[in-house]
């Protein structure tokens, strides 16, 4: 089969790779009909997530048709021919974390748990196409994928909604929604979102759906800010204004009630010397993550507010503003998204017209053009916001 693979830092390559096969009785094989390039994939390509190997199949946002199931899969839950969206965390459904609906913390799905323990203190769930740190599972930027614990993860789509309307239930729509949900939004709240990429756009939409009075979009790319403004959100360009000062102006001097970091470890900064400081430290590996957005969110949030972190962080960062966090009674909430918890409720919201996931799609390419898709997305060429690949 054809698949997009990691070929070294700053390089992906579409190759012929072996077809997946059933390895366990609860596996399924899915013929992929749509997949996508995620901002998190760029952390792999840019070399900031360790344990990638040449030839690893990338991608964790995919959906398709079930073509084979293992003997242990309950036919009442999944059958050959079912159309499914596959969540990016692989969860067993039986451990303590899964019982608490903390699916991205599953205790049984990562065969390389020992590596994760060394990095994070405790293991994390397996993730499709996201390094050997999270299990070394082949990803979904391919024609077929093996799906472990297939009776727990995949969501059956039984309506006539298009792939593009439901594909992002695999990751970025639940991730954005969880980021907003963790804010405990009240009707008078002003919510500021750092990052107007795909996850940030959905975090903004989710904050609106959950009742925020105003949602502010912070980014530097005019086309991303225009997209957010068309959706009803207030744009702030951090290359044109001081973000904290502008947020104080927009909130009567108090700061946003809730702040969402939808950027993560490769954040940019409007100040050249601050940006250079963290880029150099990251380049020489004296820190792994650039925490510009996280610092700014903590320092901008009103006292007693909530900072919700859904941007990916992978290791260690410098100059975390612990004093502001502790002394001003800020609540910090984080997590890889527990996608399985949100898929059905969000599917219902899509069916009711509360979300239009297709609004962020700017490019549609065949799988064999994945390399071009990564170039467009990484370098923000041709106003690229989201790339959907068709195997």
């Amino acid at each position: 089969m054809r698949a997009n693979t990691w070929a070294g830092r700053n390089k992906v390559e579409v190759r012929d790779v072996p077809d997946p096969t059933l390895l366990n009785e609860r596996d399924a094989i899915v013929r992929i009909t749509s997949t996508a390039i995620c901002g998190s994939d760029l952390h792999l390509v840019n070399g900031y997530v360790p344990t990638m190997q040449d030839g690893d199949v990338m991608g964790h946002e995919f959906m398709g048709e079930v073509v084979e199931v293992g003997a242990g899969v309950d036919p009442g839950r999944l059958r050959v021919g079912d159309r499914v969206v596959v969540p990016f965390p692989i969860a067993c459904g039986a451990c303590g974390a899964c019982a608490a609906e903390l699916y991205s913390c599953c205790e049984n799905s990562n065969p390389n748990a020992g590596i994760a323990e060394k990095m994070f203190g405790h293991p994390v769930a397996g993730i499709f196409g996201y390094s050997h740190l999270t299990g070394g599972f082949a990803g979904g930027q391919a024609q077929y994928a093996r799906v472990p614990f297939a009776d727990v993860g995949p969501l059956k789509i039984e309506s006539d909604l298009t792939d593009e309307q439901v594909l992002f239930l695999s990751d970025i729509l639940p991730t954005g929604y969880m980021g907003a949900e963790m804010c405990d939004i009240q009707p008078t709240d002003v919510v500021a979102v750092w990052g107007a990429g795909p996850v940030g756009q959905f975090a903004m939409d989710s904050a609106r759906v959950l009742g925020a009075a105003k949602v502010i979009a912070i980014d530097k790319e005019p086309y991303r800010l225009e997209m957010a403004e068309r959706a009803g959100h207030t744009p702030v360009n951090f290359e044109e204004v001081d973000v904290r000062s502008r947020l104080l102006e927009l909130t009567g001097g108090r700061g946003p009630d809730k702040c969402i970091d939808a950027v993560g470890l490769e954040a940019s900064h409007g100040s050249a010397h601050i940006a250079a400081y963290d880029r150099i430290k990251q380049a020489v590996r004296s820190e792994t993550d650039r925490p510009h957005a996280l610092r700014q969110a903590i320092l901008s949030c009103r006292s007693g507010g909530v900072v919700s972190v859904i941007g990916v962080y992978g290791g260690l960062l410098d100059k975390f503003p612990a004093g502001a966090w502790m002394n001003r009674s800020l609540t910090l909430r984080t997590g890889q998204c527990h996608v399985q918890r949100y898929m059905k409720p969000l599917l219902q919201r899509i069916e009711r017209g509360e979300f239009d996931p297709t609004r962020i799609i700017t490019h549609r390419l065949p799988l064999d053009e994945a390399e071009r898709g990564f170039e467009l997305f990484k370098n923000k060429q041709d106003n690229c916001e989201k790339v959907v690949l068709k195997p």
Side-chain angles (χ1 to χ4, degrees):
M1 70 173 183
R2 300 289 282 168
N4 186 46
T5 65
W6 192 85
R9 190 177 179 198
N10 297 319
K11 186 178 181 182
V12 298
E13 187 175 304
V14 179
R15 301 171 176 171
D16 291 316
V17 303
D19 290 353
T21 58
L22 298 175
L23 300 180
N24 297 294
E25 64 176 12
R26 293 174 66 190
D27 287 351
I29 304 298
V30 173
R31 180 181 64 82
I32 297 168
T33 56
S34 294
T35 183
I37 299 172
C38 180
S40 300
D41 291 330
L42 299 184
H43 304 324
L44 304 177
V45 173
N46 294 341
Y48 295 122
V49 177
T51 71
M52 289 296 292
Q53 297 178 9
D54 185 30
D56 285 346
V57 179
M58 297 188 64
H60 55 269
E61 300 179 359
F62 62 97
M63 66 175 293
E65 178 187 353
V66 176
V67 295
E68 191 175 358
V69 294
V73 176
D74 181 354
R77 305 189 74 164
L78 196 71
R79 294 174 178 269
V80 170
D82 284 344
R83 181 176 176 231
V84 295
V85 179
V86 181
F88 79 82
I90 300 169
C92 73
C95 67
C98 288
E101 296 191 310
L102 302 174
Y103 296 104
S104 71
C105 299
C106 176
E107 298 161 0
N108 293 325
S109 63
N110 185 350
N112 296 332
I115 302 175
E117 285 178 5
K118 291 177 182 177
M119 284 287 292
F120 305 132
H122 292 273
V124 294
I127 295 177
F128 291 103
Y130 215 78
S131 86
H132 294 264
L133 177 69
T134 59
F137 293 96
Q141 290 171 9
Q143 292 178 305
Y144 294 87
R146 179 178 76 93
V147 178
F149 300 111
D151 49 353
V152 175
L155 173 70
K156 286 195 288 188
I157 304 297
E158 299 177 290
S159 66
D160 59 357
L161 292 173
T162 66
D163 276 17
E164 291 182 356
Q165 287 176 291
V166 296
L167 172 61
F168 303 138
L169 289 169
S170 60
D171 176 5
I172 56 174
L173 179 54
T175 297
Y177 186 87
M178 187 172 111
E181 185 187 67
M182 288 191 295
C183 288
D184 292 335
I185 292 170
Q186 304 302 309
T188 58
D189 279 350
V190 176
V191 179
V193 179
W194 274 256
V199 170
Q201 297 282 348
F202 286 149
M204 297 171 211
D205 290 353
S206 298
R208 181 195 62 232
V209 165
L210 292 174
K214 177 184 285 189
V215 181
I216 301 169
I218 302 163
D219 205 290
K220 69 172 182 175
E221 301 297 332
Y223 73 91
R224 288 181 161 189
L225 292 170
E226 290 166 7
M227 181 177 285
E229 190 170 21
R230 288 196 299 271
H233 313 308
T234 302
V236 171
N237 189 323
F238 67 74
E239 288 195 330
E240 297 177 354
V241 299
D242 177 74
V243 170
R244 183 175 175 276
S245 298
R246 181 63 179 141
L247 291 176
L248 291 175
E249 290 174 7
L250 291 169
T251 58
R254 298 176 68 244
D257 301 282
K258 312 292 167 59
C259 295
I260 300 174
D261 171 3
V263 182
L265 64 88
E266 292 189 71
S268 300
H269 197 285
S271 170
H273 69 280
I274 294 176
Y277 170 85
D278 274 301
R279 284 300 295 266
I280 292 168
K281 285 184 70 69
Q282 192 181 52
V284 300
R285 297 300 190 261
S286 60
E287 68 173 352
T288 60
D289 303 358
R290 300 197 298 266
H292 305 317
L294 181 57
R295 290 190 195 118
Q296 207 168 63
I298 290 172
L299 294 172
S300 300
C301 192
R302 71 155 169 85
S303 295
V306 175
V307 177
S308 170
V309 184
I310 50 174
V312 172
Y313 289 89
L316 304 171
L317 48 83
D318 190 18
K319 292 182 170 54
F320 178 83
W325 169 45
M326 183 268 171
N327 286 288
R328 295 198 297 109
S329 300
L330 298 178
T331 298
L332 187 64
R333 292 179 175 166
T334 69
Q336 287 280 8
C337 185
H338 310 299
V339 176
Q340 289 88 334
R341 182 198 301 177
Y342 297 103
M343 294 177 84
K344 286 184 180 179
L346 287 174
L347 175 60
Q348 293 168 357
R349 287 185 181 272
I350 292 169
E351 291 171 339
R352 294 197 297 265
E354 296 176 26
F355 286 103
D356 175 17
T358 65
R359 78 173 184 84
I360 67 165
I361 301 171
T362 54
H363 292 74
R364 300 165 176 86
L365 299 172
L367 176 65
D368 277 336
E369 293 185 28
E371 296 171 49
R372 176 170 168 252
F374 268 83
E375 282 298 311
L376 289 168
F377 188 47
K378 176 180 176 178
N379 298 312
K380 300 179 177 65
Q381 298 171 354
D382 193 30
N383 291 350
C384 182
E385 178 78 357
K386 187 68 175 180
V387 180
V388 172
L389 301 172
K390 295 288 186 178

